[in-house]
Amino acid sequence: MNILERYNAMDYGPAPEARNEADAWLAGRDFSRALFIGGVWAAAAGGRTFDVTEPSSGKLLAKVADAGTADIDAAVAAATKALPKWQASSGFARAKVLYAVGRAMQRHQRLLAVLESIDNGKPIRESRDIDVPLAIRHFIHHAGWAQSLDREFPGHKAAGVVGQIIPWNFPLLMLAWKIAPALAAGCTVVLKPAEFTPLTAILFAEICERAGVPKGVVNIVQGGPEAGAAIVNHSGIDKIAFTGSSEVGKIIRKATAGSGKKLSLELGGKSAFVVFEDADLDSAVEGLVDGIWFNQGQVCCAGSRLLVQEGVAEAFLAKVKTRMARLVVGSPLDKNTDIGPLVDQTQLDRVRGLVAEGARQGAVCWQPDARLPETGYFHLPTLATGVSPANILAQEEVFGPVLAAMTFRNTEEAVELANNTRYGLAASVWSENINLALHVAPQLEAGVVWVNGTNMFDAACGFGGYRESGFGREGGREGMYEYLVSKLPFGAVIKPAAADVAIAERPEAEAPAIDRTAKLFIGGKQVRPDGNYSLVVADRKGRFVGDVGLGNRKDIRDAVTAARAATRSWGEATAFNRSQVLYFLAENLSIRAEEFAGRIAVLTGVSAKAARAEVEASIERLFDYAGQADKFEGRVHQPPARAVALALHEPVGVVGIVAGDDMPLLGLVSLAGAALAMGNAVVAVPSQRYPLIATDLYQVIEYSDLPAGAINIVTGRSAELAGVLAKHDDVDGLWIVADAETCAKAEADSTGNLKRVWTTNGRSLDWNAVESDTLLRRAIEVKNVWVPYGD
C-alpha cells in the first residue's frame, strides 16, 4: 500500500472528551433541592421530582425537583421583592454583576460544555466552541447596555418581573439570550428550563451565587407544564419571554390576552436554504451541513428546505450525498462526532413518523450507509428529494436531521418557494453575485437572512421571526426594547360603545342642502357597504347629523385584499417618495382645516379653539411622520466576525387600526400616519361615535397621491370589526384603542397567524403627548441580513 492509498484508507480514531469533572459535579448535588428561589436552594413544595436522562445512552442522570404552582408563587414573590432595589441600582452596578457572571462562566467553561453535551446530546465541538462562548458573550455584551441604558433608551424603564420559558435544544444559550438583557434592563427573572435539559441552568444558578447576583434577581425553577402555565398566568409577572413551538406560543398568546403583560415569542421555523447556479457549490455544501445537521437539526432556524437552481441541482445533490456519507454519527463526547442523538425517544419517534409520512406523500428519502450506535436516540441524516411544496417535509418543522430538497428555475420562483411557509424565522442565500443576493434578501419573509453563510449569531445582532415564527427580537438594541417599557400618556378608561345611537329629531337646517351619503373607502374608491346598511351618527346633543356605511366582514375582507395589493407599490416605494406623499397629505388637510375644525366642534362638542388645535396637531403629526419616513432607519452591526449585519427596517405589512373616540382626527392620523410612513398598508376602523371625521378625509386622501389601497377606511361598529381584523390571517399587525373587553378579545383572536397586536388595554390616550417614535417602532419589522466579507 503506497502513501496515498494509506492516507485514503485512514479513518478517525476515537477522541473522547473526559467527563470525570461533570460526573463529579452530578454526584455532588442533591437535585431534589434544585429550585433556586430568592437565593436559596429548595425542594419542590409538593416534593415531586422528574427524571433527567442521557440521550446517548438513556441512563438516568438525575432526579430533579419538579416545581408546581406554589413554587412559582414563591419565585415570583422573591423576584418582586428584589425588583425595586435592582431597578433603582445604577447602570454601572448592574454592569458589574453581568460582567462578573460572564467571567465566572468563563472559569467554568469546560464544565458547562461537557454538561450540555451529556444532558442534550449535542456534539462537544458545538457546545464547547459555539454555545458556551456565545452565552458568555451575551452577558459581557449586555453589561455595556446596562451601563448605557439611560443614555441609549431615554424615557424607558424596566418592564418589571419577567417570566422566561426556554427550550431544550440550546439550554444554556437560550438562558443567556433571556437573562442577560433582562438583567441589563433592570428586570428580575423567573426562568423555567426545559424538563429534558435542566442541568446547565442549575450550574448557572450556582454561578450567580458566586458572582454576587443579589438574592431574588435570578430565580431558576425546573418543572413541567404545570410550572410553565403558572408562570404564564401569574398576575405578578409583567412580561413573558418564550422560546419553543408555535403551537405552545399560540396558547401563551391566548392565555395572556387582556392581561397587559408584555410578550415576546421566538417560535418554530422552516427556513429556506437557497442555492443559485453561480454559487460556490463546495462552500454551499459545507454551509448546508451547518444549516441542517448542526445540533442534529434540532434548531428552530435550521435550513431544512433546500432550494437549488435547476442547472446545478444534479451536481449539487451529488456533492451533498458525498458529504453526508462522511458525517460521523456517534457519541456526543467524541470530538470527531458530527451528529449526536436526538434529545429523547419521543422526539426520535416524531422524526421517524414525519419521514415515513413524507415518503408516503411521494418524497424519496436517502440516508448514508452508516451504522448507528446500539444505545441512544440516534437518527441518520436524511435527504428527501422529489419533494412537492405541499409535502409534509416541506411544510412542517421536523426538528431533526432531515433535509427536504426542491428545485427552482429563476429568481422569482426561488422567492415564491422560499416564502411558501407559514413560518418566517430565517433563510440563507448562496450566490457569488452579491447584487443578486442582496436583491433576494429583502424579498424573503424572514427575520434573519444569511448571505453565503448560515447560523451566524451574535449578542449585538437581533434575532427573531415573522409570521408564525413569533414576534419580538433577542439580542442587540432590538432585544433590549423587549425588556423595557415607556410611559404612555394614558387617559380615562374607555367604556364599551353602544351598538346604536339614540337620536332626537333631525335638526332644522338654515338652508336646504343636498343629502350626502358617506360610503366606505376601499382600494382608493368610495364604495357602498356590502350589507347596504347604515349607522346613524349624532352630534354632541344627540341630534341626527348623518349616516355612514355599516361595514361588515365582507367589507373588511375587501379592504384587506386591497391593502395587500398595495403593499408592493407602497411598501416598495422609496422612503423619500413616502415622505413626499405624507407632506402632500398634510398640505391638503391644511387647506381644509377650517372645515375639519367645524366638523369636530359640532360632533364632539369641544370649543372652536380646541377643534382648530386638534386639526393643527394632526397636520403637525403628518409633517413629523413625513420627516421621519426617510430617517427612521436601520443600523449596521459589526459583530466580532468577518461579517456585517444589516438591521433593515421593513414594514410589518397590512396593519389593521381601530381608532378611539377621543380626538377622532388626531388619533386616527397618529396611528395611520405612523403605519404609512414606514411603508405599511392600512385598514382603518375610525371612531364609531364620530366616523364623519374619517369620511371627510376621503377626498383629501384621493388627491394626495396615496396609491389605491394604501389606506382603506371601513366605518361601523368598532368591537365587531376589531374581531374580524383579529381573526383575518392576511392581517399582519393590529393596533386597537378601545374598551378592555374588545382589546382582550382581539388579542385572543389573533392567534391564527400570531399577528403583532398592540392595544391600549381599555384606556384612552392623550394624543398630543404620544411620542411619534413609539408608534413608528411598532410599524416596523427588523430584518438582520448577515453579509460576510474576505476570503
Side-chain angles (χ1 to χ4, degrees), residues 282-305:
D282 291 324
S283 295
V285 168
E286 291 307 309
L288 186 62
V289 169
D290 183 37
I292 179 58
W293 291 301
F294 174 59
N295 198 25
Q296 294 76 256
Q298 299 172 134
V299 183
C300 52
C301 56
S304 54
R305 289 186 301 141

mmCIF file with all atom_site columns, all heavy atoms in Angstrom, residues 282-305:
data_model
loop_
_atom_site.group_PDB
_atom_site.id
_atom_site.type_symbol
_atom_site.label_atom_id
_atom_site.label_alt_id
_atom_site.label_comp_id
_atom_site.label_asym_id
_atom_site.label_entity_id
_atom_site.label_seq_id
_atom_site.pdbx_PDB_ins_code
_atom_site.Cartn_x
_atom_site.Cartn_y
_atom_site.Cartn_z
_atom_site.occupancy
_atom_site.B_iso_or_equiv
_atom_site.pdbx_formal_charge
_atom_site.auth_seq_id
_atom_site.auth_comp_id
_atom_site.auth_asym_id
_atom_site.auth_atom_id
_atom_site.pdbx_PDB_model_num
ATOM 1   N N   . ASP A 1 282 ? -19.152 23.989 -3.402 1.00 0.00 ? 282 ASP A N   1
ATOM 2   C CA  . ASP A 1 282 ? -18.479 23.311 -2.286 1.00 0.00 ? 282 ASP A CA  1
ATOM 3   C C   . ASP A 1 282 ? -18.699 24.059 -0.972 1.00 0.00 ? 282 ASP A C   1
ATOM 4   O O   . ASP A 1 282 ? -18.961 23.454 0.076  1.00 0.00 ? 282 ASP A O   1
ATOM 5   C CB  . ASP A 1 282 ? -16.978 23.170 -2.573 1.00 0.00 ? 282 ASP A CB  1
ATOM 6   C CG  . ASP A 1 282 ? -16.699 22.191 -3.708 1.00 0.00 ? 282 ASP A CG  1
ATOM 7   O OD1 . ASP A 1 282 ? -17.424 21.181 -3.808 1.00 0.00 ? 282 ASP A OD1 1
ATOM 8   O OD2 . ASP A 1 282 ? -15.780 22.438 -4.489 1.00 0.00 ? 282 ASP A OD2 1
ATOM 9   N N   . SER A 1 283 ? -18.611 25.406 -1.030 1.00 0.00 ? 283 SER A N   1
ATOM 10  C CA  . SER A 1 283 ? -18.877 26.193 0.171  1.00 0.00 ? 283 SER A CA  1
ATOM 11  C C   . SER A 1 283 ? -20.328 26.055 0.595  1.00 0.00 ? 283 SER A C   1
ATOM 12  O O   . SER A 1 283 ? -20.642 25.968 1.787  1.00 0.00 ? 283 SER A O   1
ATOM 13  C CB  . SER A 1 283 ? -18.548 27.663 -0.079 1.00 0.00 ? 283 SER A CB  1
ATOM 14  O OG  . SER A 1 283 ? -17.177 27.844 -0.312 1.00 0.00 ? 283 SER A OG  1
ATOM 15  N N   . ALA A 1 284 ? -21.223 26.030 -0.390 1.00 0.00 ? 284 ALA A N   1
ATOM 16  C CA  . ALA A 1 284 ? -22.641 25.906 -0.069 1.00 0.00 ? 284 ALA A CA  1
ATOM 17  C C   . ALA A 1 284 ? -22.941 24.568 0.595  1.00 0.00 ? 284 ALA A C   1
ATOM 18  O O   . ALA A 1 284 ? -23.781 24.496 1.502  1.00 0.00 ? 284 ALA A O   1
ATOM 19  C CB  . ALA A 1 284 ? -23.482 26.070 -1.331 1.00 0.00 ? 284 ALA A CB  1
ATOM 20  N N   . VAL A 1 285 ? -22.269 23.506 0.165  1.00 0.00 ? 285 VAL A N   1
ATOM 21  C CA  . VAL A 1 285 ? -22.458 22.199 0.800  1.00 0.00 ? 285 VAL A CA  1
ATOM 22  C C   . VAL A 1 285 ? -22.038 22.259 2.262  1.00 0.00 ? 285 VAL A C   1
ATOM 23  O O   . VAL A 1 285 ? -22.747 21.762 3.152  1.00 0.00 ? 285 VAL A O   1
ATOM 24  C CB  . VAL A 1 285 ? -21.689 21.101 0.049  1.00 0.00 ? 285 VAL A CB  1
ATOM 25  C CG1 . VAL A 1 285 ? -21.634 19.819 0.868  1.00 0.00 ? 285 VAL A CG1 1
ATOM 26  C CG2 . VAL A 1 285 ? -22.318 20.833 -1.302 1.00 0.00 ? 285 VAL A CG2 1
ATOM 27  N N   . GLU A 1 286 ? -20.890 22.871 2.533  1.00 0.00 ? 286 GLU A N   1
ATOM 28  C CA  . GLU A 1 286 ? -20.444 22.982 3.925  1.00 0.00 ? 286 GLU A CA  1
ATOM 29  C C   . GLU A 1 286 ? -21.416 23.837 4.740  1.00 0.00 ? 286 GLU A C   1
ATOM 30  O O   . GLU A 1 286 ? -21.693 23.552 5.906  1.00 0.00 ? 286 GLU A O   1
ATOM 31  C CB  . GLU A 1 286 ? -19.035 23.566 3.988  1.00 0.00 ? 286 GLU A CB  1
ATOM 32  C CG  . GLU A 1 286 ? -17.957 22.648 3.449  1.00 0.00 ? 286 GLU A CG  1
ATOM 33  C CD  . GLU A 1 286 ? -17.993 21.271 4.105  1.00 0.00 ? 286 GLU A CD  1
ATOM 34  O OE1 . GLU A 1 286 ? -18.003 21.208 5.358  1.00 0.00 ? 286 GLU A OE1 1
ATOM 35  O OE2 . GLU A 1 286 ? -18.030 20.264 3.373  1.00 0.00 ? 286 GLU A OE2 1
ATOM 36  N N   . GLY A 1 287 ? -21.929 24.906 4.112  1.00 0.00 ? 287 GLY A N   1
ATOM 37  C CA  . GLY A 1 287 ? -22.931 25.712 4.798  1.00 0.00 ? 287 GLY A CA  1
ATOM 38  C C   . GLY A 1 287 ? -24.194 24.925 5.073  1.00 0.00 ? 287 GLY A C   1
ATOM 39  O O   . GLY A 1 287 ? -24.823 25.079 6.131  1.00 0.00 ? 287 GLY A O   1
ATOM 40  N N   . LEU A 1 288 ? -24.571 24.070 4.137  1.00 0.00 ? 288 LEU A N   1
ATOM 41  C CA  . LEU A 1 288 ? -25.763 23.246 4.302  1.00 0.00 ? 288 LEU A CA  1
ATOM 42  C C   . LEU A 1 288 ? -25.592 22.271 5.463  1.00 0.00 ? 288 LEU A C   1
ATOM 43  O O   . LEU A 1 288 ? -26.529 22.051 6.249  1.00 0.00 ? 288 LEU A O   1
ATOM 44  C CB  . LEU A 1 288 ? -26.051 22.486 3.008  1.00 0.00 ? 288 LEU A CB  1
ATOM 45  C CG  . LEU A 1 288 ? -27.344 21.668 2.959  1.00 0.00 ? 288 LEU A CG  1
ATOM 46  C CD1 . LEU A 1 288 ? -28.559 22.565 3.124  1.00 0.00 ? 288 LEU A CD1 1
ATOM 47  C CD2 . LEU A 1 288 ? -27.420 20.888 1.650  1.00 0.00 ? 288 LEU A CD2 1
ATOM 48  N N   . VAL A 1 289 ? -24.419 21.684 5.578  1.00 0.00 ? 289 VAL A N   1
ATOM 49  C CA  . VAL A 1 289 ? -24.145 20.782 6.703  1.00 0.00 ? 289 VAL A CA  1
ATOM 50  C C   . VAL A 1 289 ? -24.371 21.509 8.023  1.00 0.00 ? 289 VAL A C   1
ATOM 51  O O   . VAL A 1 289 ? -24.988 20.983 8.959  1.00 0.00 ? 289 VAL A O   1
ATOM 52  C CB  . VAL A 1 289 ? -22.697 20.233 6.615  1.00 0.00 ? 289 VAL A CB  1
ATOM 53  C CG1 . VAL A 1 289 ? -22.302 19.526 7.914  1.00 0.00 ? 289 VAL A CG1 1
ATOM 54  C CG2 . VAL A 1 289 ? -22.567 19.282 5.436  1.00 0.00 ? 289 VAL A CG2 1
ATOM 55  N N   . ASP A 1 290 ? -23.871 22.749 8.090  1.00 0.00 ? 290 ASP A N   1
ATOM 56  C CA  . ASP A 1 290 ? -24.055 23.551 9.301  1.00 0.00 ? 290 ASP A CA  1
ATOM 57  C C   . ASP A 1 290 ? -25.508 23.974 9.450  1.00 0.00 ? 290 ASP A C   1
ATOM 58  O O   . ASP A 1 290 ? -26.031 24.068 10.569 1.00 0.00 ? 290 ASP A O   1
ATOM 59  C CB  . ASP A 1 290 ? -23.151 24.788 9.227  1.00 0.00 ? 290 ASP A CB  1
ATOM 60  C CG  . ASP A 1 290 ? -23.219 25.633 10.481 1.00 0.00 ? 290 ASP A CG  1
ATOM 61  O OD1 . ASP A 1 290 ? -23.316 25.055 11.578 1.00 0.00 ? 290 ASP A OD1 1
ATOM 62  O OD2 . ASP A 1 290 ? -23.171 26.865 10.367 1.00 0.00 ? 290 ASP A OD2 1
ATOM 63  N N   . GLY A 1 291 ? -26.174 24.209 8.326  1.00 0.00 ? 291 GLY A N   1
ATOM 64  C CA  . GLY A 1 291 ? -27.533 24.720 8.374  1.00 0.00 ? 291 GLY A CA  1
ATOM 65  C C   . GLY A 1 291 ? -28.559 23.711 8.818  1.00 0.00 ? 291 GLY A C   1
ATOM 66  O O   . GLY A 1 291 ? -29.521 24.060 9.513  1.00 0.00 ? 291 GLY A O   1
ATOM 67  N N   . ILE A 1 292 ? -28.408 22.432 8.453  1.00 0.00 ? 292 ILE A N   1
ATOM 68  C CA  . ILE A 1 292 ? -29.437 21.457 8.774  1.00 0.00 ? 292 ILE A CA  1
ATOM 69  C C   . ILE A 1 292 ? -28.961 20.390 9.756  1.00 0.00 ? 292 ILE A C   1
ATOM 70  O O   . ILE A 1 292 ? -29.747 19.899 10.567 1.00 0.00 ? 292 ILE A O   1
ATOM 71  C CB  . ILE A 1 292 ? -30.016 20.794 7.494  1.00 0.00 ? 292 ILE A CB  1
ATOM 72  C CG1 . ILE A 1 292 ? -31.096 19.754 7.848  1.00 0.00 ? 292 ILE A CG1 1
ATOM 73  C CG2 . ILE A 1 292 ? -28.925 20.170 6.651  1.00 0.00 ? 292 ILE A CG2 1
ATOM 74  C CD1 . ILE A 1 292 ? -32.248 20.310 8.647  1.00 0.00 ? 292 ILE A CD1 1
ATOM 75  N N   . TRP A 1 293 ? -27.689 20.044 9.748  1.00 0.00 ? 293 TRP A N   1
ATOM 76  C CA  . TRP A 1 293 ? -27.276 18.964 10.640 1.00 0.00 ? 293 TRP A CA  1
ATOM 77  C C   . TRP A 1 293 ? -26.584 19.450 11.913 1.00 0.00 ? 293 TRP A C   1
ATOM 78  O O   . TRP A 1 293 ? -26.214 18.660 12.769 1.00 0.00 ? 293 TRP A O   1
ATOM 79  C CB  . TRP A 1 293 ? -26.420 17.958 9.857  1.00 0.00 ? 293 TRP A CB  1
ATOM 80  C CG  . TRP A 1 293 ? -27.285 17.240 8.874  1.00 0.00 ? 293 TRP A CG  1
ATOM 81  C CD1 . TRP A 1 293 ? -28.386 16.484 9.153  1.00 0.00 ? 293 TRP A CD1 1
ATOM 82  C CD2 . TRP A 1 293 ? -27.179 17.254 7.453  1.00 0.00 ? 293 TRP A CD2 1
ATOM 83  N NE1 . TRP A 1 293 ? -28.969 16.027 7.997  1.00 0.00 ? 293 TRP A NE1 1
ATOM 84  C CE2 . TRP A 1 293 ? -28.241 16.472 6.930  1.00 0.00 ? 293 TRP A CE2 1
ATOM 85  C CE3 . TRP A 1 293 ? -26.289 17.825 6.551  1.00 0.00 ? 293 TRP A CE3 1
ATOM 86  C CZ2 . TRP A 1 293 ? -28.439 16.266 5.575  1.00 0.00 ? 293 TRP A CZ2 1
ATOM 87  C CZ3 . TRP A 1 293 ? -26.484 17.630 5.201  1.00 0.00 ? 293 TRP A CZ3 1
ATOM 88  C CH2 . TRP A 1 293 ? -27.539 16.855 4.725  1.00 0.00 ? 293 TRP A CH2 1
ATOM 89  N N   . PHE A 1 294 ? -26.439 20.754 12.060 1.00 0.00 ? 294 PHE A N   1
ATOM 90  C CA  . PHE A 1 294 ? -25.988 21.331 13.326 1.00 0.00 ? 294 PHE A CA  1
ATOM 91  C C   . PHE A 1 294 ? -27.009 20.989 14.412 1.00 0.00 ? 294 PHE A C   1
ATOM 92  O O   . PHE A 1 294 ? -28.210 21.148 14.231 1.00 0.00 ? 294 PHE A O   1
ATOM 93  C CB  . PHE A 1 294 ? -25.871 22.855 13.138 1.00 0.00 ? 294 PHE A CB  1
ATOM 94  C CG  . PHE A 1 294 ? -25.545 23.622 14.381 1.00 0.00 ? 294 PHE A CG  1
ATOM 95  C CD1 . PHE A 1 294 ? -24.392 23.365 15.099 1.00 0.00 ? 294 PHE A CD1 1
ATOM 96  C CD2 . PHE A 1 294 ? -26.381 24.635 14.819 1.00 0.00 ? 294 PHE A CD2 1
ATOM 97  C CE1 . PHE A 1 294 ? -24.085 24.092 16.233 1.00 0.00 ? 294 PHE A CE1 1
ATOM 98  C CE2 . PHE A 1 294 ? -26.086 25.377 15.945 1.00 0.00 ? 294 PHE A CE2 1
ATOM 99  C CZ  . PHE A 1 294 ? -24.933 25.094 16.662 1.00 0.00 ? 294 PHE A CZ  1
ATOM 100 N N   . ASN A 1 295 ? -26.516 20.473 15.539 1.00 0.00 ? 295 ASN A N   1
ATOM 101 C CA  . ASN A 1 295 ? -27.379 20.094 16.671 1.00 0.00 ? 295 ASN A CA  1
ATOM 102 C C   . ASN A 1 295 ? -28.461 19.102 16.240 1.00 0.00 ? 295 ASN A C   1
ATOM 103 O O   . ASN A 1 295 ? -29.594 19.136 16.720 1.00 0.00 ? 295 ASN A O   1
ATOM 104 C CB  . ASN A 1 295 ? -28.013 21.332 17.314 1.00 0.00 ? 295 ASN A CB  1
ATOM 105 C CG  . ASN A 1 295 ? -28.546 21.051 18.708 1.00 0.00 ? 295 ASN A CG  1
ATOM 106 O OD1 . ASN A 1 295 ? -28.101 20.146 19.398 1.00 0.00 ? 295 ASN A OD1 1
ATOM 107 N ND2 . ASN A 1 295 ? -29.535 21.831 19.123 1.00 0.00 ? 295 ASN A ND2 1
ATOM 108 N N   . GLN A 1 296 ? -28.077 18.196 15.302 1.00 0.00 ? 296 GLN A N   1
ATOM 109 C CA  . GLN A 1 296 ? -28.965 17.141 14.818 1.00 0.00 ? 296 GLN A CA  1
ATOM 110 C C   . GLN A 1 296 ? -30.224 17.697 14.154 1.00 0.00 ? 296 GLN A C   1
ATOM 111 O O   . GLN A 1 296 ? -31.264 17.027 14.090 1.00 0.00 ? 296 GLN A O   1
ATOM 112 C CB  . GLN A 1 296 ? -29.382 16.176 15.946 1.00 0.00 ? 296 GLN A CB  1
ATOM 113 C CG  . GLN A 1 296 ? -28.263 15.342 16.531 1.00 0.00 ? 296 GLN A CG  1
ATOM 114 C CD  . GLN A 1 296 ? -27.374 16.150 17.452 1.00 0.00 ? 296 GLN A CD  1
ATOM 115 O OE1 . GLN A 1 296 ? -26.266 16.522 17.068 1.00 0.00 ? 296 GLN A OE1 1
ATOM 116 N NE2 . GLN A 1 296 ? -27.828 16.418 18.658 1.00 0.00 ? 296 GLN A NE2 1
ATOM 117 N N   . GLY A 1 297 ? -30.149 18.946 13.677 1.00 0.00 ? 297 GLY A N   1
ATOM 118 C CA  . GLY A 1 297 ? -31.316 19.560 13.059 1.00 0.00 ? 297 GLY A CA  1
ATOM 119 C C   . GLY A 1 297 ? -32.335 20.058 14.058 1.00 0.00 ? 297 GLY A C   1
ATOM 120 O O   . GLY A 1 297 ? -33.403 20.543 13.673 1.00 0.00 ? 297 GLY A O   1
ATOM 121 N N   . GLN A 1 298 ? -32.020 19.955 15.340 1.00 0.00 ? 298 GLN A N   1
ATOM 122 C CA  . GLN A 1 298 ? -32.926 20.422 16.393 1.00 0.00 ? 298 GLN A CA  1
ATOM 123 C C   . GLN A 1 298 ? -32.683 21.919 16.625 1.00 0.00 ? 298 GLN A C   1
ATOM 124 O O   . GLN A 1 298 ? -32.277 22.344 17.696 1.00 0.00 ? 298 GLN A O   1
ATOM 125 C CB  . GLN A 1 298 ? -32.694 19.625 17.675 1.00 0.00 ? 298 GLN A CB  1
ATOM 126 C CG  . GLN A 1 298 ? -32.968 18.137 17.501 1.00 0.00 ? 298 GLN A CG  1
ATOM 127 C CD  . GLN A 1 298 ? -32.553 17.310 18.699 1.00 0.00 ? 298 GLN A CD  1
ATOM 128 O OE1 . GLN A 1 298 ? -33.279 16.450 19.169 1.00 0.00 ? 298 GLN A OE1 1
ATOM 129 N NE2 . GLN A 1 298 ? -31.363 17.557 19.205 1.00 0.00 ? 298 GLN A NE2 1
ATOM 130 N N   . VAL A 1 299 ? -32.941 22.685 15.576 1.00 0.00 ? 299 VAL A N   1
ATOM 131 C CA  . VAL A 1 299 ? -32.673 24.120 15.582 1.00 0.00 ? 299 VAL A CA  1
ATOM 132 C C   . VAL A 1 299 ? -33.880 24.806 14.948 1.00 0.00 ? 299 VAL A C   1
ATOM 133 O O   . VAL A 1 299 ? -34.313 24.425 13.862 1.00 0.00 ? 299 VAL A O   1
ATOM 134 C CB  . VAL A 1 299 ? -31.396 24.459 14.776 1.00 0.00 ? 299 VAL A CB  1
ATOM 135 C CG1 . VAL A 1 299 ? -31.083 25.944 14.850 1.00 0.00 ? 299 VAL A CG1 1
ATOM 136 C CG2 . VAL A 1 299 ? -30.204 23.642 15.280 1.00 0.00 ? 299 VAL A CG2 1
ATOM 137 N N   . CYS A 1 300 ? -34.411 25.825 15.618 1.00 0.00 ? 300 CYS A N   1
ATOM 138 C CA  . CYS A 1 300 ? -35.612 26.485 15.089 1.00 0.00 ? 300 CYS A CA  1
ATOM 139 C C   . CYS A 1 300 ? -35.359 27.143 13.740 1.00 0.00 ? 300 CYS A C   1
ATOM 140 O O   . CYS A 1 300 ? -36.273 27.256 12.920 1.00 0.00 ? 300 CYS A O   1
ATOM 141 C CB  . CYS A 1 300 ? -36.130 27.510 16.097 1.00 0.00 ? 300 CYS A CB  1
ATOM 142 S SG  . CYS A 1 300 ? -34.887 28.682 16.668 1.00 0.00 ? 300 CYS A SG  1
ATOM 143 N N   . CYS A 1 301 ? -34.116 27.572 13.494 1.00 0.00 ? 301 CYS A N   1
ATOM 144 C CA  . CYS A 1 301 ? -33.802 28.224 12.219 1.00 0.00 ? 301 CYS A CA  1
ATOM 145 C C   . CYS A 1 301 ? -33.045 27.300 11.276 1.00 0.00 ? 301 CYS A C   1
ATOM 146 O O   . CYS A 1 301 ? -32.371 27.762 10.351 1.00 0.00 ? 301 CYS A O   1
ATOM 147 C CB  . CYS A 1 301 ? -32.997 29.505 12.465 1.00 0.00 ? 301 CYS A CB  1
ATOM 148 S SG  . CYS A 1 301 ? -31.478 29.258 13.403 1.00 0.00 ? 301 CYS A SG  1
ATOM 149 N N   . ALA A 1 302 ? -33.139 25.996 11.486 1.00 0.00 ? 302 ALA A N   1
ATOM 150 C CA  . ALA A 1 302 ? -32.436 25.038 10.632 1.00 0.00 ? 302 ALA A CA  1
ATOM 151 C C   . ALA A 1 302 ? -32.821 25.226 9.171  1.00 0.00 ? 302 ALA A C   1
ATOM 152 O O   . ALA A 1 302 ? -33.996 25.417 8.835  1.00 0.00 ? 302 ALA A O   1
ATOM 153 C CB  . ALA A 1 302 ? -32.751 23.610 11.073 1.00 0.00 ? 302 ALA A CB  1
ATOM 154 N N   . GLY A 1 303 ? -31.828 25.160 8.284  1.00 0.00 ? 303 GLY A N   1
ATOM 155 C CA  . GLY A 1 303 ? -32.078 25.288 6.846  1.00 0.00 ? 303 GLY A CA  1
ATOM 156 C C   . GLY A 1 303 ? -32.628 24.001 6.294  1.00 0.00 ? 303 GLY A C   1
ATOM 157 O O   . GLY A 1 303 ? -31.966 23.309 5.500  1.00 0.00 ? 303 GLY A O   1
ATOM 158 N N   . SER A 1 304 ? -33.851 23.684 6.674  1.00 0.00 ? 304 SER A N   1
ATOM 159 C CA  . SER A 1 304 ? -34.403 22.357 6.390  1.00 0.00 ? 304 SER A CA  1
ATOM 160 C C   . SER A 1 304 ? -35.059 22.247 5.017  1.00 0.00 ? 304 SER A C   1
ATOM 161 O O   . SER A 1 304 ? -35.462 21.165 4.616  1.00 0.00 ? 304 SER A O   1
ATOM 162 C CB  . SER A 1 304 ? -35.431 21.988 7.471  1.00 0.00 ? 304 SER A CB  1
ATOM 163 O OG  . SER A 1 304 ? -36.416 22.993 7.584  1.00 0.00 ? 304 SER A OG  1
ATOM 164 N N   . ARG A 1 305 ? -35.178 23.398 4.301  1.00 0.00 ? 305 ARG A N   1
ATOM 165 C CA  . ARG A 1 305 ? -35.723 23.362 2.937  1.00 0.00 ? 305 ARG A CA  1
ATOM 166 C C   . ARG A 1 305 ? -34.634 23.829 1.974  1.00 0.00 ? 305 ARG A C   1
ATOM 167 O O   . ARG A 1 305 ? -34.311 25.009 1.920  1.00 0.00 ? 305 ARG A O   1
ATOM 168 C CB  . ARG A 1 305 ? -36.945 24.269 2.813  1.00 0.00 ? 305 ARG A CB  1
ATOM 169 C CG  . ARG A 1 305 ? -38.180 23.754 3.522  1.00 0.00 ? 305 ARG A CG  1
ATOM 170 C CD  . ARG A 1 305 ? -39.380 24.639 3.218  1.00 0.00 ? 305 ARG A CD  1
ATOM 171 N NE  . ARG A 1 305 ? -39.158 26.012 3.637  1.00 0.00 ? 305 ARG A NE  1
ATOM 172 C CZ  . ARG A 1 305 ? -39.552 27.077 2.960  1.00 0.00 ? 305 ARG A CZ  1
ATOM 173 N NH1 . ARG A 1 305 ? -40.166 26.941 1.791  1.00 0.00 ? 305 ARG A NH1 1
ATOM 174 N NH2 . ARG A 1 305 ? -39.341 28.286 3.423  1.00 0.00 ? 305 ARG A NH2 1
#
